[in-house]
């Protein structure tokens, strides 16, 4: 038996003597040549949906019963296309489950595989914590509304699949927790937010304001400049980078404007590149390395520059607002 793991550059060959493993070899996938003899090999499943044959057989009986009920409903309503679609899809999934123990979209049968009752909440990571655990919700002003809306959004999408015969009604029970169900886990909670909402404020027994200021670092100088001629003003400021041996970060509102501004600044003779989320991780790392080395003097981007990077020794100019800020470390030769 030869096993080709998706996470490895080599494959595993297992040689049997009847039902007893005789040898385990690590092989090159292309040539098939053995490169290493192994006493044991650790393998990871491609999917985390792993269960026993007995549970699958029990689940298949429940799926079959639900399928017959749904087909009867579609046929009685004259919805023959939906009935045929559901029959073909579900029968195929059942065949895959019975033969290989897995099918695409297996999570939609999780209620039957786990033996849950209709409407019962699914298992989540929260079930693995002790009853008195402390929950910390970061950016609570955004997270709390998302938690409230997750169930309804998921339900609306899956009801369409069920109504048109793409999934069985039991797929609705593979869902996020309802807000009331999630709240039952909130015994001890810390809401973390710079702008907490009214609900968090009303639920909190104590409100603590935390001011974080690194010791010895002065507040940055802030200069308010007119929006008029801001690009020309920006070019004038960036032109001094060579003389000062500094680098600069410039933020814009959109990815397109970052690209356009970078092109405009390059035509003005500046060593500039743009950076945003459409560049892959390696490209972004190369850009930051070039910025540190001085091959690039100016990096133009969007929120990625403000929230995704830690570059304490650079100037920063938001070109799309009326505020111009200059950050520098007076103790650093490069910044000075």
């Amino acid at each position: 038996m030869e096993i080709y793991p998706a996470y490895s550059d080599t494959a595993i060959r297992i040689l049997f003597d009847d039902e007893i493993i005789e040898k385990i070899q690590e092989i090159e996938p292309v040539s098939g040549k053995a490169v290493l003899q192994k006493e044991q090999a650790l393998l990871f499943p491609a999917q985390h949906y792993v269960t026993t044959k007995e549970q699958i057989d029990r689940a298949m009986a429940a799926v079959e019963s639900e399928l017959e009920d749904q087909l009867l409903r579609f046929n009685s309503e004259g919805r023959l296309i939906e009935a045929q679609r559901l029959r073909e899809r579900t029968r195929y999934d059942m065949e895959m489950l019975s033969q290989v123990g897995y099918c695409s979209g297996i999570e939609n049968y999780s209620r039957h595989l786990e033996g849950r009752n209709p409407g019962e909440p699914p298992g989540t990571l929260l079930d693995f914590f002790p009853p008195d655990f402390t929950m910390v919700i970061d950016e609570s002003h955004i997270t709390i509304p998302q938690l409230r809306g997750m169930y309804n959004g998921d339900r609306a999408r899956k009801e369409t699949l069920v109504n048109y015969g793409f999934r069985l009604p039991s797929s609705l029970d593979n869902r996020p927790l309802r807000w009331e169900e999630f709240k039952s886990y909130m015994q001890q909670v810390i809401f973390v937010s710079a702008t907490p909402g009214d609900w968090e404020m009303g639920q909190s027994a104590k409100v603590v304001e935390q001011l974080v200021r690194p010791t010895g670092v002065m507040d940055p100088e802030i200069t308010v400049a007119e929006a008029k001629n801001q690009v020309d003003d920006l070019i004038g400021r960036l032109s001094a980078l060579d003389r000062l041996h500094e680098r600069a970060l410039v933020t814009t509102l959109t990815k397109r404007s970052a690209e356009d501004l970078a092109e405009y600044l390059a035509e003005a003779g500046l060593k500039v590149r743009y950076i945003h989320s459409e560049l892959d991780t390696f490209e972004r790392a190369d850009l930051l390395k070039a910025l540190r080395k001085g091959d690039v003097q100016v990096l133009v981007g969007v929120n990625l520059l403000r929230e995704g990077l830690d570059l304490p020794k650079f100037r920063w100019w938001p070109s799309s607002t009326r505020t111009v800020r200059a950050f520098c470390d007076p103790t650093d030769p490069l910044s000075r």
Side-chain angles (χ1 to χ4, degrees), residues 45-95:
Q47 301 289 339
H48 60 268
Y49 294 99
V50 180
T51 188
T52 64
K53 183 70 166 60
E54 291 73 18
Q55 285 179 298
I56 291 176
D57 292 341
R58 176 181 49 77
M60 288 304 93
V63 171
E64 177 70 33
S65 176
E66 183 184 14
L67 174 63
E68 293 301 325
D69 291 343
Q70 191 70 352
L71 291 177
L72 185 62
R73 173 176 164 248
F74 279 146
N75 288 324
S76 65
E77 295 173 355
R79 302 169 64 186
L80 304 182
I81 294 178
E82 287 84 350
Q84 180 184 8
R85 181 185 294 139
L86 183 65
R87 183 188 303 107
E88 291 180 354
R89 185 178 196 121
T90 308
R91 295 277 187 220
Y92 175 78
D93 289 346
M94 293 174 68
E95 182 71 15

Side-chain angles (χ1 to χ4, degrees), residues 230-231 234 238 247-262 265 272-276 291 297-309 311 314-327:
Q230 64 175 346
V231 175
L234 177 64
L238 296 178
R247 319 283 186 266
L249 306 179
V250 180
T251 63
T252 64
L253 290 176
T254 65
K255 298 175 185 176
R256 177 63 183 273
S257 60
E259 296 174 6
D260 292 343
L261 180 60
L265 295 177
V272 58
R273 294 287 298 275
Y274 67 83
I275 182 172
H276 52 59
L291 187 66
Q297 288 181 310
V298 183
L299 212 52
V300 183
V302 286
N303 277 347
L304 180 70
L305 284 179
R306 296 191 297 140
E307 299 175 2
L309 304 178
L311 298 170
F314 292 82
R315 292 183 183 271
W316 172 47
W317 284 294
S319 67
S320 56
T321 70
R322 297 177 61 88
T323 304
V324 179
R325 303 179 183 178
F327 291 88

Side-chain angles (χ1 to χ4, degrees), residues 138-158:
D138 194 20
E139 301 292 357
S140 61
H141 63 286
I142 296 175
T143 308
I144 294 297
Q146 287 178 335
L147 290 169
R148 286 174 173 160
M150 283 172 64
Y151 171 80
N152 291 331
D154 180 83
R155 180 86 181 187
R157 179 179 64 84
K158 286 185 178 171

Side-chain angles (χ1 to χ4, degrees), residues 26 128 176 200 219 235 261:
E26 189 171 326
F128 290 85
E200 299 100 286
D219 282 349
I235 292 175
L261 180 60

